[in-house]
Amino acid sequence: PQELIVKIQRSGNHKADVNQLRMLHELLTEFKGANRFKFHLVGSLQNGGNLELDFPNDRTHYCPELTQELVSMLGPDCYQLR
């Protein structure tokens, strides 16, 4: 199985960012499958920098429908498949 890496640009609004992460996690876990996924957060809140969130116990199914949803939420080039 491949790994899906979702690139997420931080907005600077912590509450909005957390809500977006929850929605993305729910979306990915709705598509049941064998692909691992992780979030790559870009930018910083205060002194932060980039951060990677791994979900070792969750899986998704990489497919055109999921890709379309991700691009709709985050824009083009928001994911990478390894």
Side-chain angles (χ1 to χ4, degrees):
Q2 296 176 305
E3 181 177 56
L4 179 65
I5 300 167
V6 181
K7 180 180 164 187
I8 303 160
Q9 182 69 43
R10 290 182 182 171
S11 70
N13 179 328
H14 181 71
K15 187 174 182 177
D17 289 347
V18 168
N19 286 336
Q20 182 180 46
L21 293 176
R22 282 188 186 128
M23 289 181 1
L24 286 166
H25 186 270
E26 287 176 16
L27 172 67
L28 290 165
T29 55
E30 282 176 14
F31 287 82
K32 305 283 186 215
N35 301 110
R36 290 187 58 161
F37 65 90
K38 62 176 67 171
F39 295 160
H40 181 77
L41 305 178
V42 179
S44 62
L45 287 173
Q46 315 238 354
N47 349 350
N50 297 343
L51 177 67
E52 196 165 88
L53 299 175
D54 193 10
F55 299 92
N57 298 321
D58 296 321
R59 301 285 186 270
T60 193
H61 174 68
Y62 176 75
C63 62
E65 293 83 9
L66 176 59
T67 302
Q68 183 178 18
E69 292 285 337
L70 288 173
V71 169
S72 170
M73 291 176 77
L74 302 172
D77 302 321
C78 65
Y79 69 93
Q80 178 183 8
L81 195 61
R82 285 193 215 165

